[in-house]
Amino acid sequence: MNKGGGEGTKPKDTTPVPTDCSTQPIGVVLEIAGSSSQIAIDLQRLNECAEDPDPSIAMAGQVGSQIKIRVGNSWLLASVRNQRQDRQAGSILAHIDFLGEGMEEKLTGKLHAFRRGVTRYPVPGAMVYPASTADLQQVYASDGRSAVTIGKVYPTKDIRAGIYVDAMLGKHFALLGSTGTGKSTSAALILHRICEAAPEGHIVMIDPHGEYASAFRNTGVILDVSNLQMPYWIMNFEEHCEVLLTSAGNERQVDADILAKCLLKARQKSRLAEHMGKITVDSPIPYLLSDLSSELQDAMGKLDKSTTSAPYMRIKTKLDEVKGDPRYQFLFSGMLVADTMSDFISKIFRMPSNGKPISIIDVSGVPSDITATVVAVLSRLVFDFAIWGREERTSPILLVCEEAHRYVPNEKNADGNSVGTILSRIAKEGRKYGISLGLITQRPSDLAEGVLSQCGTIIAMRLNNDRDQEFVRAAMPEGARGFLDAIPALRNRECIICGEGVAIPIRVSFDNLEEAKRPASDDPSFIELWNRTGGEEDVVQRTVKRWRSQG
């Protein structure tokens, strides 16, 4: 008997050998244009790739995914912007945006040494391949610049998303997202990571709702109306006008001229002014509120009968009102007359920081009519300090502004406040002086036109409003357009980052932040709270008491 005969009679194994999806093309280039081009994707190959265990390959060809095209010895990386069916050819047509290029490793065919921009474009007919997780790891790998990681790159399971801190802060950044998308938590996460990377930094955060105090209790200093002690004389003339003038139109100009004369005289009475030589109405020199009051009184006494004393009375009445109102004590207190400017600036700018690099300025307790002025003073101090400190080569300062649309509104909502002017100026000129601006808002369309375009890095979370989406689309660079279409479909605590702070536009799912580091911005549970009972009368009484004492 032939022993080997049995071997030949066995049925052949017909199960297909699995192909390596990353080495097989999924489509072909149809048309090439500068920033966006068109490809045709084979539907069968797309379905094969969808079964791949590598999530990047499984997503290949879908909207928002990355694909690569070989050009000579290098790979071009592109992002898929949209898809439509080509019924005649039985394939899918897609527009792509080029992101950058990398060299090909000779042995493995993998992509490495990735950089932004395109040197050489492919020709129509070039093959399109899926980008694997290994490829994307090379693309997102830090290139040696100092970076902080904030989450995972979508759709991969393990690629960490990093932001280049120097590039992000050097050209300002904006964090945008509708209410309830996890914006405050994400802002806290980014700031915590920056504080960990630079424990001797200088960060000032304007917090209009008192949300961030709980998040930075251990790594920062919390300043509110109880301990801010902001001296009134540090305000410049324009800010004095916002607080003390109540009139409008022609009357306001008359009042402003009177206030300018009296304020300058009050400042000149200071002992400091004697040593200074020439001072102006804007010079931050301590003066007594009683001196300003008596200057107004004297000027009024010198009037002849035909001149009305009404403007003097208006200013004096407002000054007395502000001095006597307990809500204004953090600013207009007789105790704040000493020359504390250096101490105040050191406290706010964290110089030295003593391991607590962030100061959270909670303006929720500030009377609403002067909130914008207080924010203007703080922002202007940052700017003026940087300008006058140029000789010293002072450390850069990061100014983060939550609810930014309130303070830098567009022309339609503008109310002529000085805060909009100073923040717009910081956006335009700040980086020359080492000031970085971080804007956080849920209404980017309400922001002043030029401000968002000055932000080099944009972190966009879900935006539900069409106008906001259009506004962000206009501010983002060309290559990120494919990602932008995903903005309405982002989950909570997911974002798209593009601009200077990242190598290429990326979709990121943020890390979880420990409970102790989160801001107090959780939405209340109506059902849970409405099912609690007991002690309501006491709650009402305590609230009314606090309300009356304004404390």
Side-chain angles (χ1 to χ4, degrees):
M1 279 180 74
N2 182 4
K3 284 182 182 174
E7 296 287 328
T9 58
K10 273 188 182 173
K12 279 188 179 169
D13 186 10
T14 53
T15 53
V17 179
T19 55
D20 181 359
C21 281
S22 65
T23 59
Q24 302 295 317
I26 57 167
V28 64
V29 174
L30 294 180
E31 173 194 347
I32 290 291
S35 60
S36 82
S37 307
Q38 201 172 37
I39 60 171
I41 305 170
D42 183 330
L43 197 53
Q44 187 188 341
R45 285 288 298 122
L46 204 59
N47 292 333
E48 284 170 18
C49 285
E51 303 296 317
D52 199 279
D54 181 338
S56 305
I57 294 175
M59 279 280 291
Q62 295 182 30
V63 173
S65 68
Q66 280 82 44
I67 49 103
K68 58 184 186 179
I69 303 164
R70 191 196 301 276
V71 182
N73 292 332
S74 57
W75 285 112
L76 270 188
L77 194 78
S79 137
V80 178
R81 192 198 309 173
N82 56 25
Q83 292 180 338
R84 67 185 170 84
Q85 193 176 12
D86 182 358
R87 292 183 185 279
Q88 292 167 328
S91 60
I92 292 171
L93 297 179
H95 280 100
I96 57 171
D97 294 308
F98 291 116
L99 301 169
E101 61 190 1
M103 303 309 293
E104 180 186 11
E105 274 181 2
K106 283 282 175 282
L107 289 171
T108 60
K110 294 273 192 310
L111 176 148
H112 75 108
F114 179 83
R115 64 181 187 275
R116 245 188 214 178
V118 178
T119 321
R120 201 172 133 204
Y121 285 99
V123 291
M127 290 297 168
V128 174
Y129 295 83
S132 65
T133 295
D135 293 330
L136 295 180
Q137 243 152 356
Q138 289 297 319
V139 171
Y140 298 122
S142 176
D143 58 9
R145 292 183 284 169
S146 52
V148 294
T149 56
I150 53 162
K152 287 200 289 286
V153 176
Y154 177 89
T156 66
K157 294 192 182 81
D158 52 2
I159 298 182
R160 300 290 291 148
I163 294 182
Y164 298 121
V165 182
D166 290 344
M168 177 173 90
L169 300 185
K171 294 200 175 140
H172 310 315
F173 70 93
L175 172 59
L176 319 166
S178 295
T179 307
T181 53
K183 195 167 68 281
S184 305
T185 312
S186 307
L189 171 70
I190 293 167
L191 291 175
H192 273 301
R193 294 282 194 269
I194 292 172
C195 290
E196 285 159 19
E200 298 301 317
H202 310 289
I203 304 172
V204 181
M205 178 170 210
I206 311 288
D207 174 13
H209 301 306
E211 291 177 328
Y212 291 89
S214 56
F216 292 95
R217 190 149 279 129
N218 302 322
T219 47
V221 171
I222 317 300
L223 300 167
D224 57 18
V225 288
S226 67
N227 63 349
L228 182 59
Q229 292 181 313
M230 185 165 125
Y232 55 87
W233 46 262
I234 225 164
M235 295 193 293
N236 66 14
F237 175 60
E238 190 182 354
E239 289 146 5
H240 269 88
C241 288
E242 282 176 15
V243 177
L244 295 176
L245 301 190
T246 50
S247 50
N250 293 339
E251 280 186 348
R252 190 174 180 86
Q253 191 52 54
V254 173
D255 291 9
D257 293 343
I258 291 168
L259 180 60
K261 286 193 195 104
C262 296
L263 180 59
L264 182 58
K265 283 185 177 168
R267 286 203 197 275
Q268 283 168 338
K269 283 189 175 176
S270 162
R271 268 198 227 125
L272 256 180
E274 291 166 17
H275 309 295
M276 301 285 291
K278 188 171 183 299
I279 68 161
T280 70
V281 73
D282 286 329
S283 303
I285 284 176
Y287 71 88
L288 293 170
L289 287 170
S290 54
D291 280 348
L292 177 58
S293 194
S294 58
E295 285 300 335
L296 285 163
Q297 193 72 48
D298 290 353
M300 202 160 45
K302 289 174 187 165
L303 294 176
D304 55 27
K305 293 228 166 49
S306 61
T307 319
T308 174
S309 61
Y312 296 88
M313 286 309 296
R314 275 198 296 268
I315 302 172
K316 199 167 176 315
T317 307
K318 183 65 181 174
L319 182 63
D320 292 341
E321 181 191 314
V322 163
K323 270 165 48 180
D325 192 329
R327 295 174 307 151
Y328 290 81
Q329 283 298 294
F330 74 96
L331 178 60
F332 287 96
S333 161
M335 309 298 288
L336 296 174
V337 75
D339 181 12
T340 52
M341 189 165 174
S342 303
D343 297 343
F344 182 68
I345 282 175
S346 297
K347 177 171 76 171
I348 283 185
F349 298 167
R350 310 304 308 130
M351 291 182 176
S353 59
N354 301 322
K356 292 192 168 189
I358 187 166
S359 63
I360 304 290
I361 300 175
D362 172 3
V363 292
S364 59
V366 173
S368 56
D369 54 334
I370 62 160
T371 307
T373 309
V374 169
V375 176
V377 174
L378 295 166
S379 310
R380 185 182 53 77
L381 285 178
V382 173
F383 192 67
D384 285 354
F385 182 77
I387 285 178
W388 296 108
R390 272 177 303 179
E391 305 292 310
E392 306 282 342
R393 312 260 319 139
T394 53
S395 288
I397 296 172
L398 166 59
L399 175 65
V400 184
C401 204
E402 172 70 272
E403 297 273 353
H405 59 275
R406 278 197 199 179
Y407 306 121
V408 225
N410 55 22
E411 281 176 25
K412 194 177 72 187
N413 302 325
D415 48 6
N417 242 320
S418 56
V419 65
T421 316
I422 185 65
L423 285 174
S424 296
R425 197 171 168 202
I426 290 175
K428 291 186 187 91
E429 304 169 33
R431 60 174 178 271
K432 297 180 207 161
Y433 304 110
I435 307 172
S436 177
L437 186 62
L439 300 175
I440 305 171
T441 177
Q442 70 257 38
R443 293 306 306 269
S445 58
D446 286 349
L447 271 178
E449 286 289 329
V451 173
L452 196 59
S453 58
Q454 297 286 345
C455 293
T457 306
I458 291 180
I459 304 165
M461 304 183 77
R462 190 173 70 249
L463 287 162
N464 302 331
N465 183 300
D466 286 349
R467 260 183 58 232
D468 290 333
Q469 288 167 25
E470 284 304 316
F471 202 76
V472 175
R473 187 172 277 111
M476 276 195 172
E478 194 69 33
R481 300 288 160 92
F483 287 84
L484 278 179
D485 296 332
I487 282 184
L490 290 173
R491 301 189 189 107
N492 278 5
R493 301 192 47 260
E494 266 190 359
C495 73
I496 285 154
I497 309 178
C498 70
E500 302 291 331
V502 282
I504 61 167
I506 49 176
R507 179 170 166 181
V508 175
S509 115
F510 281 113
D511 287 339
N512 271 324
L513 198 54
E514 305 93 277
E515 196 70 47
K517 292 183 174 180
R518 282 185 205 164
S521 57
D522 289 346
D523 296 330
S525 161
F526 284 79
I527 295 297
E528 186 187 324
L529 293 174
W530 282 352
N531 276 315
R532 286 186 193 166
T533 185
E536 278 99 338
E537 297 96 335
D538 297 341
V539 169
V540 171
Q541 281 176 0
R542 285 197 299 272
T543 304
V544 167
K545 191 177 174 187
R546 274 198 301 276
W547 192 345
R548 280 180 176 154
S549 63
Q550 300 286 321

